[in-house]
Amino acid sequence: MRVLDLTDELARQGARLLVGLGADVVRVDDDLTGPERLHWHAGKKLAQADLDALAQEADVVLESGPVAQLRGLRADGTSRWPDAVHVVVTPFGLTGPRRDWLGGDLVLASAGGMTWLGGKPGGPPEPPPREQACQLAGAHGAIAALLGVLSGTGQLIDVSAQEAVAATLETGALAWIHAGRVPVRNGGVYEHVAHRIFEAADGYVAGGYSGSERMWTGLRDWLAEEGEAGDLLDERFADQVVRWAERPHVDTVITRFVAKRTAREVAEQGRARALPWAEVTPPAELAGNPQLRDRRFFVSVDGTEDAGFPWDAPGLPRPVTLSALTEGTWTSAPGRPRPAKTRPLDGVRVLDLTWVLAGPYATKILAEHGADVVKVESKHRHDPTRFSTSMRLRPGAGPDDSGYFLNFNRGKRSVALNLRTPEGQEILRELAARCDVVVENFSPGVLAKWGLDHESLRSINPRAILVSMSGVGHSGPWRTAVTFADTLAAMSGLSAETADPGEPPTGLAFGLGDMVAANAAVLGALDLLVRGEGGHVDLSQLEAMAATMGPAVLGSPRSTPHGVYPAAGDDRWVAIAPQDETQWAALRTLAGLPPEETDALAAWTRPQDAEALAARLQAAGVAAAVVATGRDLVQDEHLAERGFYERLDHPIAGAVLHEGIVARLTATPGALTSPAPLLGQHTEPVLRELLGFDDDRLAALRAAGITE
């Protein structure tokens, strides 16, 4: 696949991910130096040819930047290169009242709602480190590129970086949609699962006790063996509701336990006991991680070791060596023509064996763009997003109208199968034989017990794509590790960088790692669909997160955001990030500051309305945005005009807003076609349609408890 890379910081990660998938990528700009150049442009070629000539030879043009600076956009808003898949990533999208606003990572993390979720109680909001907003936008740009190729139609694709972030907040906006509540900054303590960062004797660990009941009983037994369980052995703590209500007390007991041990000891014992605990590792120490080493995660760029790519699989091998940016042009042939489709994934059937967040987020994206997603679930294996009261968000909600589940499972069909039974497993194999893609996030080895590992699947469905989304991959010394979003962030180096100087790390209070991994899983599946090949995408969620550390492994210092400043009102903030000397001068003029004075900026912003101030700054050419809460996003006039939040009618919940589609394909647009299913809502229709089961067979399955 020939890709013309016209990206800036907004979508560099997208071009890099396409390099990792084997695309032939050409740039026309040599815009970086040092470690940044080595990381972002490795594996690409630098061409001095005419831009229009290059674009006409490309399968994909991936472009990013402010709307006014786009080279491929005509004055009427159409593409200069209509025969190519032309993906445009801009700060706020190509339409809407803020289409001309400026923004880098801090502004977009703030406008998209991510900054609000970080930081300490009572302190200013803080964005995640390592330019995660821009990297999310880039990943969605890469997804858009592959969707465009699969559509068989040259077209312009609009990706808003703000929306890429707003679709990645876990409950950040959903809490407002379903409960009229805004999550507050709490120093990295997860609000809906009992996970956080604890201080060890010599460092920090991430962990907790949510998820399956074994996460609690295993931790309790560990504490008991060491004689440090205290009153947690009381029978009342066997009740999840009681544990949740008394979480501060439970956390205090665990804090004392962890503080007596080294971080490595806690992490190693956690892995040995299959419990979700991990050491908070600085990025500079990633190179010593035995799991990443064993799986050959790192890539050598002209002899210098850098972070690698999220996937490794038969038929989808990631590069282990790359060359730095060198002059040249494409050596590959143009991609082959494809039949045009109404939506890119029309005719693709996906068997969804995932739960919680990472897997459902990935299959949600596939469903949006036309895939028929058949979700297998059961009352015998409780998905916490259906069954855990802390994750339902909606007051009084039950398993069928959990707000969390509704958002991430719209557009799917639900088949209830008890996979603890041989007959349930046999039906699962029959379904897999009739699907194009199987997505799973079980622990390594589970599918093999059911006869659905890659070799077994290939024997019954040679062209099937199996996407495995385990925590650390299906191979390596840590392959059995149990992971949550917080432990993945800890292992990847990201949590360590949330520490202010001289302060402990706070980590992240939402599942960013899950959604980063989901985007990578989608890319792996789409790439094999583009190639028309079956294969096994062995995605490591740890590697997906580590791949977003930018040039950290190379020793590049993290970028320092320009600043979040107080505004008028209770806990209102504005992000201000001048991107060059011209913007700094405009800001100083507007604020009435002398050239050498910037410390007084907070005094100038504090009495001003955040929205009015952001608009005033943008009008003066200074990148700025309100630090948006979930409420701000849902009520945002720009997002409303773009139709980002879409309403679907659910049979129990009624009319409910959902986070919308990020990749806006102009010729073959995606769609939210149906609300999330009730548990087992489509069991009988699917088994009739795909497997030909008759009334007698279905009745027998019901009577035996197989379809529940």
Side-chain angles (χ1 to χ4, degrees):
M1 187 169 63
R2 293 178 163 186
V3 177
L4 178 59
D5 174 10
L6 303 179
T7 62
D8 66 353
E9 64 170 333
L10 288 183
R12 282 190 194 122
Q13 174 72 339
R16 184 174 194 267
L17 289 168
L18 293 176
V19 167
L21 289 169
D24 196 355
V25 181
V26 167
R27 279 191 69 81
V28 296
D29 304 308
D30 192 2
D31 58 337
L32 299 172
T33 59
E36 299 276 330
R37 184 180 191 267
L38 207 64
H39 177 80
W40 293 116
H41 294 335
K44 303 175 186 176
K45 297 162 190 160
L46 182 66
Q48 305 297 330
D50 175 75
L51 186 58
D52 284 315
L54 287 171
Q56 287 162 9
E57 294 177 357
D59 301 302
V60 171
V61 178
L62 179 57
E63 184 175 18
S64 67
V67 173
Q69 296 176 20
L70 296 176
R71 288 171 277 186
L73 203 65
R74 296 192 179 111
D76 63 359
T78 60
S79 173
R80 276 173 59 184
W81 311 301
D83 294 333
V85 173
H86 185 188
V87 181
V88 174
V89 182
T90 59
F92 292 87
L94 295 178
T95 62
R98 295 182 192 142
R99 73 183 293 271
D100 295 316
W101 276 30
L102 307 172
D105 186 77
L106 173 62
V107 165
L108 295 168
S110 302
M114 211 159 53
T115 300
W116 172 261
L117 299 173
K120 300 180 182 68
E126 296 180 7
R130 294 288 166 185
E131 294 74 53
Q132 294 297 323
C134 288
Q135 296 207 59
L136 286 168
H140 280 282
I143 289 171
L146 295 181
L147 288 169
V149 171
L150 283 166
S151 76
T153 304
Q155 59 181 302
L156 183 66
I157 304 179
D158 174 12
V159 175
S160 155
Q162 181 194 23
E163 291 171 0
V165 176
T168 318
L169 303 178
E170 195 171 9
T171 63
L174 301 183
W176 177 258
I177 290 171
H178 292 281
R181 187 178 54 80
V182 173
V184 295
R185 296 184 302 287
N186 53 20
V189 178
Y190 273 68
E191 186 179 63
H192 55 277
V193 290
H195 276 249
R196 53 174 288 189
I197 287 177
F198 295 86
E199 185 169 5
D202 63 345
Y204 299 90
V205 294
Y209 44 92
S210 284
S212 69
E213 189 64 16
R214 194 187 62 76
M215 299 301 103
W216 164 252
T217 58
L219 177 60
R220 179 202 62 197
D221 294 347
W222 181 10
L223 269 63
E225 289 172 23
E226 302 291 339
E228 298 181 45
D231 63 353
L232 299 187
L233 296 175
D234 292 355
E235 184 62 32
R236 63 196 185 91
F237 286 107
D239 187 336
Q240 183 187 79
V241 175
V242 171
R243 291 198 299 272
W244 188 255
E246 298 192 32
R247 180 180 178 184
H249 170 67
V250 176
D251 281 2
T252 298
V253 176
I254 296 171
T255 297
R256 288 198 300 264
F257 175 79
V258 171
K260 298 177 181 178
R261 292 158 176 83
T262 67
R264 177 165 294 183
E265 179 186 357
V266 174
E268 288 178 347
Q269 276 289 310
R271 284 194 299 274
R273 296 169 181 268
L275 298 175
W277 289 83
E279 187 173 357
V280 175
T281 304
E285 297 179 13
L286 278 180
N289 182 299
Q291 178 69 12
L292 297 178
R293 279 267 157 240
D294 187 87
R295 285 174 55 84
R296 301 181 72 192
F297 165 69
F298 300 98
V299 61
S300 175
V301 184
D302 287 354
T304 301
E305 194 167 66
D306 190 13
F309 299 91
W311 333 263
D312 196 25
L316 191 67
R318 60 182 163 211
V320 294
T321 60
L322 289 172
S323 296
L325 183 66
T326 53
E327 290 195 10
T329 188
W330 288 297
T331 54
S332 63
R336 62 182 180 274
R338 299 173 184 276
K341 299 180 180 180
T342 304
R343 288 194 289 168
L345 299 180
D346 283 344
V348 174
R349 182 175 297 123
V350 177
L351 186 63
D352 181 356
L353 307 181
T354 70
W355 67 338
V356 193
L357 179 55
Y361 192 95
T363 53
K364 167 189 76 71
I365 294 175
L366 300 177
E368 290 167 358
H369 294 283
D372 174 20
V373 178
V374 176
K375 182 177 182 65
V376 174
E377 50 181 339
S378 172
K379 73 176 187 180
H380 297 285
R381 182 181 187 250
H382 282 188
D383 184 336
T385 64
R386 266 202 195 276
F387 288 94
S388 174
T389 53
S390 68
M391 300 185 80
R392 289 179 181 166
L393 304 180
R394 303 175 62 82
D400 277 327
D401 62 337
S402 161
Y404 196 119
F405 187 89
L406 295 187
N407 190 71
F408 299 114
N409 292 281
R410 71 282 182 101
K412 305 175 187 178
R413 298 196 284 175
S414 173
V415 170
L417 276 183
N418 184 355
L419 297 179
R420 295 177 178 175
T421 65
E423 191 165 5
Q425 295 170 19
E426 174 58 33
I427 294 171
L428 183 67
R429 287 190 290 272
E430 293 183 49
L431 287 172
R434 291 161 177 80
C435 291
D436 305 288
V437 181
V438 178
V439 186
E440 59 94 10
N441 60 355
F442 293 109
S443 299
V446 172
L447 281 192
K449 294 177 183 177
W450 297 343
L452 269 182
D453 57 297
H454 182 233
E455 289 302 314
S456 302
L457 177 61
R458 193 167 63 172
S459 69
I460 61 173
N461 189 349
R463 298 185 65 80
I465 296 167
L466 175 62
V467 180
S468 296
M469 300 181 64
S470 63
V472 299
H474 275 226
S475 62
W478 293 3
R479 63 186 175 279
T480 59
V482 173
T483 59
F484 276 50
D486 64 313
T487 57
L488 292 167
M491 286 189 278
S492 71
L494 189 67
S495 293
E497 295 212 333
T498 63
D500 292 328
E503 297 287 329
T506 58
L508 304 177
F510 68 109
L512 174 63
D514 286 86
M515 291 167 282
V516 167
N519 290 337
V522 170
L523 283 168
L526 294 180
D527 187 79
L528 289 174
L529 287 170
V530 166
R531 297 170 189 242
E533 300 171 359
H536 180 200
V537 180
D538 179 10
L539 175 77
S540 158
Q541 295 187 45
L542 167 60
E543 291 164 8
M545 279 299 292
T548 72
M549 290 308 295
V553 174
L554 297 172
S556 174
R558 56 178 167 168
S559 175
T560 303
H562 295 284
V564 170
Y565 297 92
D570 182 25
D571 209 11
R572 298 297 285 171
W573 304 82
V574 61
I576 305 176
Q579 296 169 301
D580 53 37
E581 282 303 317
T582 300
Q583 292 191 30
W584 269 120
L587 173 59
R588 289 194 296 266
T589 299
L590 203 61
L593 300 175
E596 70 282 356
E597 179 61 76
T598 57
D599 293 339
L601 201 53
W604 178 70
T605 64
R606 186 172 281 110
Q608 302 193 56
D609 177 78
E611 289 190 15
L613 177 57
R616 187 178 168 200
L617 287 164
Q618 287 278 358
V622 179
V626 171
V627 176
T629 67
R631 176 181 182 175
D632 293 327
L633 291 170
V634 176
Q635 298 178 350
D636 184 286
E637 63 172 355
H638 177 77
L639 293 176
E641 184 165 316
R642 286 177 56 82
F644 177 68
Y645 291 101
E646 296 191 42
R647 201 176 301 276
L648 294 172
D649 288 317
H650 186 271
I652 297 175
V656 173
L657 288 175
H658 294 67
E659 292 169 346
I661 297 171
V662 177
R664 311 271 187 119
L665 283 72
T666 54
T668 58
L672 303 191
T673 56
S674 61
L678 309 180
L679 178 62
Q681 179 180 346
H682 305 96
T683 303
E684 296 195 0
V686 168
L687 296 184
R688 290 180 192 276
E689 171 194 340
L690 300 187
L691 305 185
F693 287 6
D694 59 19
D695 290 346
D696 291 342
R697 178 76 188 276
L698 293 170
L701 292 172
R702 283 197 304 273
I706 306 298
T707 52
E708 62 179 22

